[in-house]
Amino acid sequence: MKDITCFHCGNECDSKNIAIKEKFFCCNGCKTVFEIFSENDLTCYYDFQNNPGAIPEEIAGKYDFLENKAIVAKLLEFSDSNIQIVNLYIPHIHCSSCIWVLENLHKLQENISSSQVNFPKKTVRITFNAEKTTLKEIVFLLSSIGYEPYISLEDYEVGKKKVDRSLIYKLGIAGFAFGNVMFLSFPEYFEVSGFWLDQYKNVFRWLMFFFSLPVVFYSAQDYFISAYKGLKAKILNIDVPIALGVSVLFIRSSVEIIFDLGTGFFDSLTGLVFFLLLGKFFQQKTYNFLSFERDYKSYFPIAVTRVSSDKKEENIQIYDVKKGDRLLIRNQELIPVDGILINGNAQIDYSFVTGESKTIRKQSGDKLFAGGKQVAGAIELEALTSVEQSYLTQLWSNDVFKKEHKSNFKTLTNSISKNFTVTVLSIAIISLVFWLFFDASKALNVFTAILIIACPCAIALAAPFAFGNLLRILGKQKFYVKNTDVLEQLAAIDTLVFDKTGTLTSNKKNTIKYEGDSLSEPEEILLKNTLRGSNHPLSRALYNLLDKNDIISLDSYEEYVGKGIEASYQNKNIKVGSAKLVNNAIEEKELNTAVHISTDNTYKGKFTFYNSYRKGVSKLFNKLKQHYNLVILSGDNDSEKENLEKLLPAKTKLIFNQKPEDKLEYIKYHQTEGAKVVMVGDGLNDAGALAQSNVGIAIAENVNVFSPACDAILDASKLHLLEKYISIAKSGISIVKWSFALSFIYNSIGLYFAITGQLKPVIAAILMPLSSISIVVFTTIATNLISRKIK
């Protein structure tokens, strides 16, 4: 009789008593999970893989500690109003079915708004309504469907990181065994004979056998596990031929020892695993080195304004923020640290964290969480903690802001690896059969050597190492790219769109002149405090120009994107911005950018800005024009058109009076026509256009312009190098293609010697990681050489 297995978890069933619709279950727990999925139309869970589930465990009372608010507060990643976010470690996550069901938790529990799985880390990030459900209820739900989370408060404490030393242990054991096996094999190599060598020959062979056991069953276990999981999922990954080669060597060598047929291939076996792990260790150290140099301090040229006890304001890097610092958060700025609101009209948009754009009003004394965006003027808060760099890194990589960038090299690499494995296995089997007929003594060596030498590891490493090193190099040059996919997109662009104010112009060098009626002292105080709350480049320049005045808390504040600001204090109203906003009756064409002022609907005058363009703008555009279509999209009037026509090359499109939504629509339209667009803007009014473009680059000076909508951040002082940065991205593509070509050459030459029986398995084991290491060295040297273009 055929064994009956549980439809949910795959365990054997003792009886047929627990069944639904001819589906059998080993226990009521598995049956309950199936019923839950059926009721919520989630039975597709079983389509991804047979028996993907785990038996749910009874946890009554186990998580009572989650009723303690103080403990829950430590576990939560974010908590405000009715929205809470928690990141839970789920050890049982192991396949596509797990990912699918965990990202559909909102169908099982309506109070869960979203859930995102990080498969490598085996975590799920859950956003839920705290007014209608609790963390304890969510943990119970997960446990009821077989995904009980592992909760340890130590795992949530900042700075405590577990160091995985397993690779070092495995490498050490393999190296120790390899050295001893080689030593014990010397008499066999040199065919040394003597009264005591012949007597102890079998002892030496058995010692070699025992030395190989920990190598095969411990040091090489990752290759077997990876191959097993791949085959279970019906995927031939690159570890399948390696696991097969190790297995063949061990079985054949063990047979020779047991039946006293020979010395076996334990030297090749232990050497194979040792050199594979050595190559893996080198790759890991190199990649960690690249990742380390791309740390948070390199990624974000982001600053915040600190207010001293004497009301003096200074811009500081956010990683210099300390507990107790008083911070000024302007309109549209992100809150960089948890803090207590001191004063100001706080309306916080937490969509950067939660994905929901509903604003939350806060009062003085309320706690504000990092990641919220102030949308109603300036506020002041007292920092409760220093900046957690990993948290803001997470904001930038939040799925809410991810674009559907498809990496052609990832797709190509995966395709090559898969097809390579099939091809290599076919060649190995054909060669084995051939040599069994012509020279059986070489058949095993040929079969094993082919499996090892043709591993496509070098191909798989080419793109990550080349692009990873480029990210590091560009970061050192103050061009901070989000990920490697962005570099591919940047290399493919054909159109560049630039904002003008704050992007091409330098706010620090503008000349500003006032024309109109003099402002009274109360009006100037009101103007200064109105400008204090804005992050617009013109507002910042004008704010720095005005004399120091008392700081007041405005009664109302409203910033109209692309138009200006309106505020009031003690029944006195002020409007700052475009002529249309302030009801100016004067309609003559302005020759320069101007900011108009009106108080209580009475026009007062205007501040005229005589723009100073950034260093090297003209030279940059002349270089770019040779290869790309260039467009200026400005929200200002066309007063600067004549100057720009003189400064920029002919046929550069100049489009003025563009609202933020107009910029977005312009980019969207040209993308439908097949254009690959880069948008370069200041990260504030241009957020929509940055998000819509294929690559959005935010220009940063010394204020907080951090925008998750962008793909890269460019220091304003390096704008003139943009053409070289794009050129480096294109060169990076060429380097990866050359790396692929070299890998194919390696494998072709190696296969020739292996098929013809001229390559021993141990030599193949040395050459295989060396080929991978050579690709790493080649990409590193090549990318370092092209980086010399930057001056």
Side-chain angles (χ1 to χ4, degrees):
M1 179 179 174
K2 185 179 178 181
D3 292 336
I4 300 173
T5 58
C6 178
F7 181 73
H8 177 70
C9 70
N11 288 348
E12 290 187 10
C13 298
D14 295 332
S15 67
K16 298 183 181 180
N17 295 335
I18 306 176
I20 302 176
K21 299 177 182 178
E22 299 183 353
K23 295 178 177 63
F24 299 98
F25 301 92
C26 63
C27 63
N28 283 313
C30 289
K31 175 188 172 187
T32 302
V33 176
F34 176 77
E35 289 173 338
I36 292 172
F37 289 162
S38 298
E39 290 171 4
N40 293 277
D41 195 26
L42 292 177
T43 50
C44 293
Y45 170 73
Y46 300 101
D47 295 339
F48 291 91
Q49 186 172 337
N50 294 329
N51 319 122
I55 302 173
E57 298 181 6
E58 180 61 41
I59 63 167
K62 184 175 180 180
Y63 290 104
D64 285 348
F65 66 88
L66 293 179
E67 295 174 358
N68 186 313
K69 292 183 179 180
I71 293 177
V72 171
K74 289 185 179 181
L75 299 177
L76 292 174
E77 181 181 290
F78 173 84
S79 175
D80 195 77
S81 184
N82 60 339
I83 297 175
Q84 292 185 345
I85 299 176
V86 67
N87 209 18
L88 296 172
Y89 174 59
I90 314 286
H92 185 66
I93 296 176
H94 70 287
C95 67
S96 54
S97 292
C98 304
I99 298 172
W100 187 83
V101 75
L102 288 172
E103 292 195 342
N104 281 277
L105 290 177
H106 61 279
K107 294 183 178 180
L108 297 176
Q109 166 62 272
E110 63 180 1
N111 298 318
I112 294 175
S113 57
S114 68
S115 51
Q116 299 166 353
V117 174
N118 185 324
F119 184 72
K121 294 183 178 179
K122 295 185 181 296
T123 61
V124 58
R125 186 173 185 262
I126 302 172
T127 304
F128 60 96
N129 188 326
E131 289 186 350
K132 298 181 179 179
T133 189
T134 64
L135 178 58
K136 182 180 178 180
E137 290 175 358
I138 289 174
V139 169
F140 266 81
L141 170 65
L142 290 168
S143 300
S144 70
I145 59 174
Y147 292 97
E148 182 182 1
Y150 172 76
I151 298 178
S152 169
L153 290 180
E154 290 185 0
D155 294 339
Y156 293 82
E157 291 181 11
V158 177
K160 289 191 176 182
K161 295 183 178 180
K162 295 180 179 179
V163 179
D164 185 4
R165 295 188 174 89
S166 59
L167 178 59
I168 297 175
Y169 298 149
K170 291 171 183 175
L171 178 62
I173 288 173
F176 175 77
F178 175 52
N180 280 279
V181 169
M182 290 291 288
F183 178 74
L184 294 169
S185 300
F186 278 143
E188 305 273 358
Y189 291 156
F190 300 106
E191 297 181 354
V192 178
S193 60
F195 71 94
W196 64 274
L197 288 177
D198 289 334
Q199 182 179 354
Y200 292 102
K201 180 172 62 176
N202 288 332
V203 176
F204 291 167
R205 290 178 177 178
W206 278 103
L207 282 173
M208 287 189 284
F209 170 78
F210 287 114
F211 274 122
S212 72
L213 292 178
V215 175
V216 174
F217 293 102
Y218 175 67
S219 295
Q221 67 175 350
D222 289 342
Y223 296 105
F224 287 104
I225 293 171
S226 176
Y228 170 73
K229 288 182 177 179
L231 293 172
K232 189 176 180 181
K234 299 180 180 179
I235 297 172
L236 287 173
N237 59 35
I238 61 177
D239 288 328
V240 170
I242 295 176
L244 188 57
V246 171
S247 301
V248 169
L249 278 174
F250 179 70
I251 294 170
R252 170 64 187 273
S253 301
S254 299
V255 169
E256 288 195 9
I257 293 293
I258 293 170
F259 295 100
D260 198 21
L261 301 174
T263 189
F265 303 90
F266 290 117
D267 51 353
S268 297
L269 171 63
T270 53
L272 165 65
V273 177
F274 173 70
F275 287 114
L276 286 174
L277 292 175
L278 188 63
K280 191 174 183 180
F281 176 75
F282 178 83
Q283 293 159 14
Q284 186 183 84
K285 293 294 287 184
T286 307
Y287 194 77
N288 287 343
F289 169 74
L290 296 179
S291 299
F292 176 78
E293 291 208 28
R294 288 175 49 228
D295 67 3
Y296 163 79
K297 293 180 181 180
S298 295
Y299 260 114
F300 303 119
I302 178 175
V304 68
T305 301
R306 180 167 61 191
V307 182
S308 62
S309 56
D310 59 356
K311 301 295 183 181
K312 183 179 179 181
E313 298 174 4
E314 61 173 334
N315 287 312
I316 61 169
Q317 296 291 311
I318 59 171
Y319 49 80
D320 290 336
V321 173
K322 300 181 178 65
K323 182 179 179 180
D325 283 351
R326 189 160 180 164
L327 306 178
L328 172 65
I329 308 298
R330 297 185 178 88
N331 192 51
Q332 299 299 314
E333 279 190 351
L334 286 185
I335 299 170
V337 296
D338 292 349
I340 298 294
L341 178 63
I342 304 298
N343 61 51
N345 176 26
Q347 291 189 42
I348 312 299
D349 175 7
Y350 280 115
S351 60
F352 281 12
V353 181
T354 66
E356 299 181 17
S357 58
K358 180 181 177 182
T359 59
I360 300 170
R361 185 178 294 276
K362 292 292 184 179
Q363 297 178 346
S364 179
D366 287 347
K367 184 177 180 180
L368 304 179
F369 287 88
K373 182 173 70 171
Q374 165 66 356
V375 294
I379 59 173
E380 291 185 22
L381 61 85
E382 181 181 323
L384 292 176
T385 61
S386 60
V387 173
E388 303 302 344
Q389 57 194 52
S390 60
Y391 187 68
L392 284 179
T393 301
Q394 177 185 328
L395 280 179
W396 204 28
S397 59
N398 195 317
D399 285 348
V400 174
F401 305 100
K402 283 186 179 176
K403 297 181 184 178
E404 293 300 320
H405 285 324
K406 182 180 179 181
S407 172
N408 294 321
F409 282 112
K410 283 182 183 177
T411 304
L412 180 60
T413 300
N414 293 338
S415 176
I416 290 173
S417 298
K418 180 180 178 181
N419 295 328
F420 231 73
T421 303
V422 174
T423 304
V424 168
L425 286 174
S426 302
I427 293 173
I429 293 170
I430 293 170
S431 300
L432 175 66
V433 173
F434 173 83
W435 282 103
L436 283 173
F437 283 100
F438 286 89
D439 188 349
S441 63
K442 290 186 176 181
L444 181 62
N445 275 350
V446 169
F447 179 73
T448 309
I450 291 172
L451 293 178
I452 304 308
I453 196 65
C455 175
C457 297
I459 294 173
L461 287 171
F465 273 88
F467 289 140
N469 202 33
L470 282 180
L471 290 183
R472 179 184 65 86
I473 291 167
L474 292 173
K476 284 186 173 181
Q477 295 294 328
K478 299 185 178 181
F479 183 44
Y480 311 99
V481 181
K482 200 170 196 176
N483 53 45
T484 57
D485 294 353
V486 174
L487 286 178
E488 284 190 58
Q489 295 290 323
L490 189 61
I493 61 105
D494 54 36
T495 303
L496 285 99
V497 177
F498 292 84
D499 176 44
K500 181 177 75 70
T501 305
T503 302
L504 299 183
T505 61
S506 174
N507 303 323
K508 297 178 180 179
K509 298 180 181 180
N510 286 337
T511 301
I512 307 172
K513 292 184 179 179
Y514 179 68
E515 301 173 33
D517 299 335
S518 298
L519 299 174
S520 65
E521 184 177 346
E523 287 174 334
E524 192 168 313
I525 292 173
L526 179 55
L527 173 60
K528 179 84 172 180
N529 281 274
T530 300
L531 294 170
R532 184 173 185 253
S534 174
N535 239 334
H536 191 278
L538 296 181
S539 298
R540 303 307 316 132
L542 189 52
Y543 176 79
N544 293 329
L545 173 73
L546 296 175
D547 294 333
K548 182 178 179 181
N549 285 295
D550 294 335
I551 294 174
I552 59 174
S553 295
L554 299 172
D555 296 329
S556 67
Y557 179 98
E558 186 71 32
E559 185 162 355
Y560 304 100
V561 178
K563 297 177 182 178
I565 315 166
E566 182 176 4
S568 65
Y569 176 71
Q570 294 182 350
N571 297 321
K572 193 165 188 66
N573 177 272
I574 189 170
K575 293 180 180 178
V576 185
S578 67
K580 186 175 181 180
L581 177 70
V582 302
N583 297 319
N584 180 21
I586 303 172
E587 294 293 340
E588 79 269 9
K589 183 177 180 180
E590 295 177 302
L591 299 178
N592 295 94
T593 300
V595 172
H596 297 262
I597 311 292
S598 72
T599 57
D600 295 331
N601 293 320
T602 301
Y603 182 73
K604 302 295 292 187
K606 64 179 180 181
F607 288 90
T608 303
F609 289 73
Y610 298 91
N611 291 317
S612 175
Y613 288 91
R614 296 192 189 279
K615 172 188 173 184
V617 166
S618 180
K619 188 176 180 180
L620 169 66
F621 271 68
N622 282 314
K623 288 182 178 178
L624 291 172
K625 190 61 181 176
Q626 299 173 21
H627 307 288
Y628 309 103
N629 299 315
L630 301 179
V631 182
I632 304 295
L633 286 182
S634 176
D636 299 332
N637 57 47
D638 61 357
S639 60
E640 282 287 305
K641 184 175 182 180
E642 187 176 337
N643 289 335
L644 285 170
E645 286 175 342
K646 293 177 182 177
L647 185 69
L648 304 180
K651 297 183 180 180
T652 300
K653 290 184 180 178
L654 303 175
I655 305 174
F656 299 93
N657 298 306
Q658 296 293 292
K659 299 175 183 177
E661 55 268 29
D662 296 331
K663 296 179 182 181
L664 189 153
E665 290 300 323
Y666 180 89
I667 291 172
K668 185 184 292 185
Y669 170 75
H670 283 277
Q671 286 175 325
T672 60
E673 298 292 311
K676 305 294 184 183
V677 183
V678 165
M679 173 69 194
V680 185
D682 58 24
L684 297 169
N685 298 338
D686 303 319
L690 289 170
Q692 177 61 41
S693 60
N694 296 83
V695 177
I697 301 175
I699 296 294
E701 281 195 336
N702 62 346
V703 293
N704 185 350
V705 295
F706 170 70
S707 172
C710 69
D711 300 296
I713 300 174
L714 174 60
D715 189 281
S717 64
K718 300 291 184 179
L719 177 63
H720 64 286
L721 296 175
L722 180 60
E723 185 270 337
K724 292 183 178 179
Y725 295 146
I726 299 174
S727 176
I728 285 175
K730 290 179 179 292
S731 298
I733 299 293
S734 299
I735 289 171
V736 174
K737 290 178 179 177
W738 275 107
S739 299
F740 281 168
L742 286 174
S743 298
F744 280 117
I745 292 171
Y746 278 137
N747 283 286
S748 299
I749 295 173
L751 277 173
Y752 168 77
F753 285 103
I755 292 171
T756 55
Q758 302 176 61
L759 189 66
K760 293 183 178 180
V762 69
I763 304 300
I766 296 171
L767 293 178
M768 195 279 284
L770 282 179
S771 68
S772 299
I773 292 168
S774 66
I775 289 297
V776 172
V777 172
F778 168 74
T779 56
T780 304
I781 292 175
T783 48
N784 284 332
L785 286 175
I786 65 170
S787 70
R788 293 182 179 180
K789 295 179 181 180
I790 305 174
K791 290 183 181 179

